[in-house]
Amino acid sequence: MNGEAPSSVRRALGSRFLRESSTLSMGALFVAVSNLVGAVVMTHVLGAYELSIFYLGVSSYSLLWALLNLGLANVVTKRIAAAIRSGSEELIRGWMGVFVRLSVLLATVAFATGLLIFPFGAGLAFNEDSGRIAQLASALVLVPLLDVPRIVCSAALQGERRMSALARVDLGHELCRLILVVSGALIFGDAWGAVLGLLVSSFCGSLIAFDAYGRERRREGSLLPSLMGAARSTSIPARAALQEGVKVGLGRNVDSLGVQTPPTLILGSLGDPGWVAYL
């Protein structure tokens, strides 16, 4: 009995589930620390008021994207995982293909919508620097388009339980975001520098995801298809994916719509925009 207990512990510590859970937990911790470090450094570099302008631009964009963004990533991840369990490469390609098409469509709609409503909406909501906030938010709506390759690759990696690769993608993207946003703020000295850094970091995150996906696809036993082959697949109708995505997205976006974004926008609208930096 005494010999079995250490053996069971060793098996538990070496299990794939524990390794994956530890990797994801460390990734979440790194993201939290990165956000804290970024906020402290950005406050020092830009000052409270300029940082608030940046936050208001990000919150305006986030509110629009939360309204348009569906829960497609969660749906596609589950469908890919089910297709992998059944060994159906056609279904894997089909769900990845419909995810690519709908993600590009929604990102394009969000960008066009942002260009139309942000100048008007910012003018109504904010008394100071409304023009700059509208411009920043309009530029940031490019983020979902730049993020399409990353979110598609990440959904596929998660569906095949490649959690270590998924964590590398998330960590790489977060590290790029921290470095580039701070660097942009340092170089330009205003909120525009931070926004440019955010856009470039989204592009870099997609490049990292491309590399991770390619490496995992070449592993023995992987059912992940080529990205070009998946993008051309039309075996899954868009309507089916949208119907499932809407159900998931309504619940998933409640936190962003009701808790995270509105307080920043309300404080920036009713009070001094500089107060936003202290939320």
Side-chain angles (χ1 to χ4, degrees), residues 63-81:
L63 180 61
L64 173 64
W65 184 234
L67 291 169
L68 294 176
N69 186 25
L70 303 176
L72 291 174
N74 293 335
V75 170
V76 171
T77 297
K78 292 177 182 178
R79 290 294 188 174
I80 290 175

Side-chain angles (χ1 to χ4, degrees), residues 19-54:
R19 291 197 306 271
E20 291 176 349
S21 299
S22 300
T23 300
L24 293 176
S25 297
M26 290 301 295
L29 178 61
F30 178 82
V31 170
V33 172
S34 173
N35 287 333
L36 176 61
V37 171
V40 172
V41 174
M42 289 286 286
T43 303
H44 178 72
V45 172
L46 294 180
Y49 184 82
E50 194 66 22
L51 181 61
S52 297
I53 297 301
F54 171 66

Side-chain angles (χ1 to χ4, degrees), residues 15-266:
S15 68
R16 181 178 178 182
F17 173 78
L18 185 60
R19 291 197 306 271
E20 291 176 349
S21 299
S22 300
T23 300
L24 293 176
S25 297
M26 290 301 295
L29 178 61
F30 178 82
V31 170
V33 172
S34 173
N35 287 333
L36 176 61
V37 171
V40 172
V41 174
M42 289 286 286
T43 303
H44 178 72
V45 172
L46 294 180
Y49 184 82
E50 194 66 22
L51 181 61
S52 297
I53 297 301
F54 171 66
Y55 283 163
L56 288 171
V58 171
S59 296
S60 299
Y61 141 72
S62 299
L63 180 61
L64 173 64
W65 184 234
L67 291 169
L68 294 176
N69 186 25
L70 303 176
L72 291 174
N74 293 335
V75 170
V76 171
T77 297
K78 292 177 182 178
R79 290 294 188 174
I80 290 175
I84 288 172
R85 287 195 297 269
S86 66
S88 175
E89 296 185 24
E90 181 180 355
L91 283 177
I92 299 171
R93 285 194 299 270
W95 280 104
M96 288 182 65
V98 75
F99 193 24
V100 170
R101 293 193 301 277
L102 289 176
S103 295
V104 171
L105 175 62
L106 289 172
T108 303
V109 170
F111 180 68
T113 304
L115 291 180
L116 291 174
I117 70 170
F118 282 142
F120 175 74
L124 289 177
F126 308 114
N127 297 322
E128 300 179 34
D129 280 319
S130 61
R132 276 210 303 156
I133 294 170
Q135 292 171 358
L136 294 173
S138 297
L140 285 167
V141 186
L142 284 171
V143 168
L145 200 57
L146 295 171
D147 274 346
V148 168
R150 181 176 64 83
I151 63 173
V152 172
C153 291
S154 294
L157 291 172
Q158 187 173 355
E160 203 177 43
R161 303 297 296 173
R162 305 287 182 167
M163 295 308 187
S164 295
L166 180 64
R168 289 197 300 272
V169 172
D170 291 340
L171 290 175
H173 178 229
E174 183 62 26
L175 187 60
C176 287
R177 187 191 66 81
L178 175 62
I179 293 172
L180 291 170
V181 169
V182 172
S183 297
L186 281 169
I187 293 170
F188 291 92
D190 60 13
W192 266 112
V195 167
L196 290 175
L198 200 57
L199 293 173
V200 176
S201 70
S202 292
F203 177 73
C204 291
S206 288
L207 293 181
I208 293 170
F210 273 136
D211 178 70
Y213 184 90
R215 290 173 184 269
E216 295 302 314
R217 182 173 175 266
R218 290 190 292 270
R219 288 181 179 268
E220 184 178 355
S222 175
L223 293 178
L224 297 175
S226 71
L227 290 172
M228 290 301 296
R232 289 194 294 266
S233 177
T234 57
S235 59
I236 303 296
R239 179 179 295 180
L242 282 173
Q243 287 175 343
E244 291 192 50
V246 168
K247 295 176 184 177
V248 175
L250 288 175
R252 190 178 63 85
N253 290 338
V254 166
D255 183 54
S256 178
L257 290 172
V259 178
Q260 296 180 359
T261 304
T264 300
L265 296 174
I266 292 171

